[in-house]
Amino acid sequence: MIELPPLHSAPNQAELLVTHEAIHPFVHRTPVLTNRSIDQLAGARLYFKCENFQRIGAFKMRGGASAALRFSPRERERGLATHSSGNHAQAVAKAAQILGVPAYIVMPHDAPRVKVAAVEGYGAHITYCNNTPRERQAALEEVIAERGAAFIHPYDDYGVIAGQATAALELIEDTEAVLDYIVAPVGGGGLLAGTALSARYFSVQAEVIGAEPEAVDDALRSLRSGRIEENETNQTVADGLRTNLGERNFPIIRDYVKDIFTVSEAEIIAAMRMIWERMKIIVEPSCAVPLAAILRHPETFQGRHVGIILTGGNVDVDRLPF
Amino acid sequence: MIELPPLHSAPNQAELLVTHEAIHPFVHRTPVLTNRSIDQLAGARLYFKCENFQRIGAFKMRGGASAALRFSPRERERGLATHSSGNHAQAVAKAAQILGVPAYIVMPHDAPRVKVAAVEGYGAHITYCNNTPRERQAALEEVIAERGAAFIHPYDDYGVIAGQATAALELIEDTEAVLDYIVAPVGGGGLLAGTALSARYFSVQAEVIGAEPEAVDDALRSLRSGRIEENETNQTVADGLRTNLGERNFPIIRDYVKDIFTVSEAEIIAAMRMIWERMKIIVEPSCAVPLAAILRHPETFQGRHVGIILTGGNVDVDRLPF
């Protein structure tokens, strides 16, 4: 197993390449799919990188593995810890399971039952807390102090960013056409920052666009104001995108992302339904945000080759938005 | 474009091979997927042939194209006709569109709106009738008499059987392991008969098992009695499997299918949900019948390599059974 050194700044090209090699035992190489009927509707050639087929059902496995491997075997033998009610919790739990070390996950009492069950299924220890940032942080610090576990932040971490970058690296490698654009959703910015770095190193002509819900347009406002802006609501169906940008993520996005496009809730749901019905694959609402942005901006994407990161497929089929 | 001769008996090996070549412009080569977590639950190695990703969203495209190509250009220039409220209607409409000839589809007034829209989207002419066998037949005969169109039966047709056989042929080619079993659902028997022929010609050690809902177990009763038995209800969630066996299908199934396994409605729904949640792909209820049968019969499948035909993905996401 390849060991990775800690990263103290944005990963360079060689660091992304060695990350890609190192996480190989933890991840699938997911397929890049195309769909004629959606291409016709979009007026563009779209290449969907299907991280919904990734292990644990989301791209977060890449960042979790990349970050876990940057601790020495001695540092991580006492366990990996994080707070998350979503896919990052599963990623850290699964990475710990593969590495044969304990995982300590802080989750809110009201986390979806299916997510709790998945984390338990990977053998992690769960600490429940009330769903406020303050209580979550306190619970996490207690676990770390008590267990001596190594903390992996969901997105504000250069190791995580390097891992998430490998999705776009594979998309670029596995698409025969030269991509004009790559569109990724943006929440905390781990995926978007990683995508921007991979485009910069491996597909220089491709412009990277972030896509986010209008309701939580902190990334757009942050790019305009030049500092990290916060959301005042978390009312969006795209539950993976409610977070504000991280401190390590923002400068990379500011420097290397061309623009942020926002979309309405109705556009997200319509695009999600389009992917389900026409591609016959299950994707989370967050996945549909880039396609919604492409459909809204034909003046940008018309006739172009566009890569899209489909981020995950962990959706509760009993509670669909359509 | 390869032209195919009419078939007056079950296709032989060479006839299946030339069918596979000929339908190439009409179909996708769909992937064979595997899933570790379902393998663990089943205690077997499962290989899923994903015809839900086929053009028109179902394997029926294969049979429709194979049958259409057995009419001479002169015979088919006046159009292709069929009666169907399901995937066969879309297959004939799409085959006609590709061939540049008209399609005449008889559909019941109460056919699902999405299926009508799909058939219209391929440019077919739709004739509506009341949903009884007698009225359907009368409407079809009128269309054929008036238009001179060539009729393609949904399953009781050697050309259709040859086309459906190509799904198992590709499954066998694209699975590295030697298959011990291939399991396919059975309605009218086009797919199951074709699968049995492909196994016989291309994977002699593989046993073919048919899977059907207990509620419409006509295939099981037909194998036992030695003649075509009828269903007394159509009350199953697996809406593609309500039909009785065809006259051309039954002898092939009788001679080359090892057994028919039946499953309950609850088992079908649980298996469908398992495929959605763990594989992140959208499949129709009929697709889940083989997996339900495998989970019900560990004594047969334990430790074996098992191919499964996932037949289609045309499901109304507003009306899910779970």
Side-chain angles (χ1 to χ4, degrees), chain A residues 212-215 235-238 261-271 288-289 292-293 296:
Chain A
E212 72 181 346
E214 283 167 1
Q235 295 302 305
T236 173
V237 68
F261 287 170
T262 63
V263 293
S264 72
E265 295 298 298
E267 288 171 320
I268 296 169
I269 293 167
V289 176
R296 183 165 174 167

Side-chain angles (χ1 to χ4, degrees), chain A residues 209-213 220 259-263 289 293-294 297 299-301:
Chain A
I209 305 278
E212 72 181 346
L220 175 64
D259 207 348
I260 305 281
F261 287 170
T262 63
V263 293
V289 176
I294 289 164
H297 290 280
E299 76 287 356
T300 298
F301 298 106

Side-chain angles (χ1 to χ4, degrees), chain B residues 15-86:
Chain B
E15 285 162 343
L16 288 195
L17 290 168
V18 72
T19 300
H20 193 220
E21 299 290 339
I23 66 173
H24 185 256
F26 296 80
V27 299
H28 295 318
R29 188 169 186 116
T30 56
V32 175
L33 298 184
T34 60
N35 186 276
R36 291 182 214 200
S37 73
I38 297 180
D39 280 0
Q40 283 177 0
L41 292 165
R45 282 287 286 160
L46 308 183
Y47 304 87
F48 296 90
K49 174 65 172 170
C50 290
E51 290 292 296
N52 55 325
F53 297 143
Q54 188 49 268
R55 286 177 90 170
I56 69 112
F59 75 94
K60 294 272 184 176
M61 192 66 228
R62 297 175 183 273
S66 165
L69 289 171
R70 284 167 213 281
F71 296 106
S72 68
R74 167 160 286 185
E75 284 170 326
R76 67 184 180 238
E77 77 182 2
R78 296 185 65 186
L80 304 177
T82 199
H83 53 71
S84 166
S85 58

Side-chain angles (χ1 to χ4, degrees), chain B residues 4 11-24 27-32 47-51 54 59 62 66 70 160-179 181-184 190-206 208 307-310:
Chain B
L4 292 169
N12 64 27
Q13 189 184 44
E15 285 162 343
L16 288 195
L17 290 168
V18 72
T19 300
H20 193 220
E21 299 290 339
I23 66 173
H24 185 256
V27 299
H28 295 318
R29 188 169 186 116
T30 56
V32 175
Y47 304 87
F48 296 90
K49 174 65 172 170
C50 290
E51 290 292 296
Q54 188 49 268
F59 75 94
R62 297 175 183 273
S66 165
R70 284 167 213 281
V160 168
I161 293 169
Q164 318 306 29
T166 62
L169 168 56
E170 293 178 5
L171 167 65
I172 292 162
E173 281 182 9
D174 291 343
T175 303
E176 279 181 37
V178 172
L179 291 171
Y181 291 95
I182 303 175
V183 190
L191 180 68
L192 184 58
T195 300
L197 293 173
S198 273
R200 181 178 173 227
Y201 299 137
F202 307 109
S203 184
V204 287
Q205 77 301 322
V208 173
I308 294 174
I309 317 274
L310 291 180

Side-chain angles (χ1 to χ4, degrees), chain A residues 28 33 36 52-53 55 57 114 273 276-277 279-282 313-318 320 322, chain B residues 28 33 36 52-53 55 57 114 273 276-277 279-282 313-318 320 322:
Chain A
H28 295 317
L33 298 184
R36 291 182 215 200
N52 54 324
F53 297 144
R55 287 178 86 172
V114 289
R273 189 176 179 123
W276 282 49
E277 291 188 339
M279 298 184 70
K280 311 297 182 191
I281 63 175
I282 290 179
N314 292 330
V315 60
D316 183 346
V317 298
D318 292 320
L320 298 178
F322 41 73
Chain B
H28 295 318
L33 298 184
R36 291 182 214 200
N52 55 325
F53 297 143
R55 286 177 90 170
V114 289
R273 190 176 179 124
W276 281 50
E277 291 188 340
M279 299 183 69
K280 312 296 183 192
I281 63 176
I282 290 178
N314 293 330
V315 60
D316 183 346
V317 299
D318 292 320
L320 299 178
F322 40 73

Side-chain angles (χ1 to χ4, degrees), chain A residues 178-200:
Chain A
V178 171
L179 291 171
D180 299 304
Y181 289 96
I182 303 176
V183 189
V186 55
L191 180 68
L192 183 59
T195 300
L197 292 173
S198 274
R200 182 180 171 223

Side-chain angles (χ1 to χ4, degrees), chain A residues 219-241:
Chain A
L220 175 64
R221 287 183 286 109
S222 300
L223 273 200
R224 284 187 181 156
S225 73
R227 61 177 198 193
I228 296 173
E229 302 287 344
E230 299 195 350
N231 291 314
E232 273 149 35
T233 169
N234 63 5
Q235 295 302 305
T236 173
V237 68
D239 55 340
L241 307 183

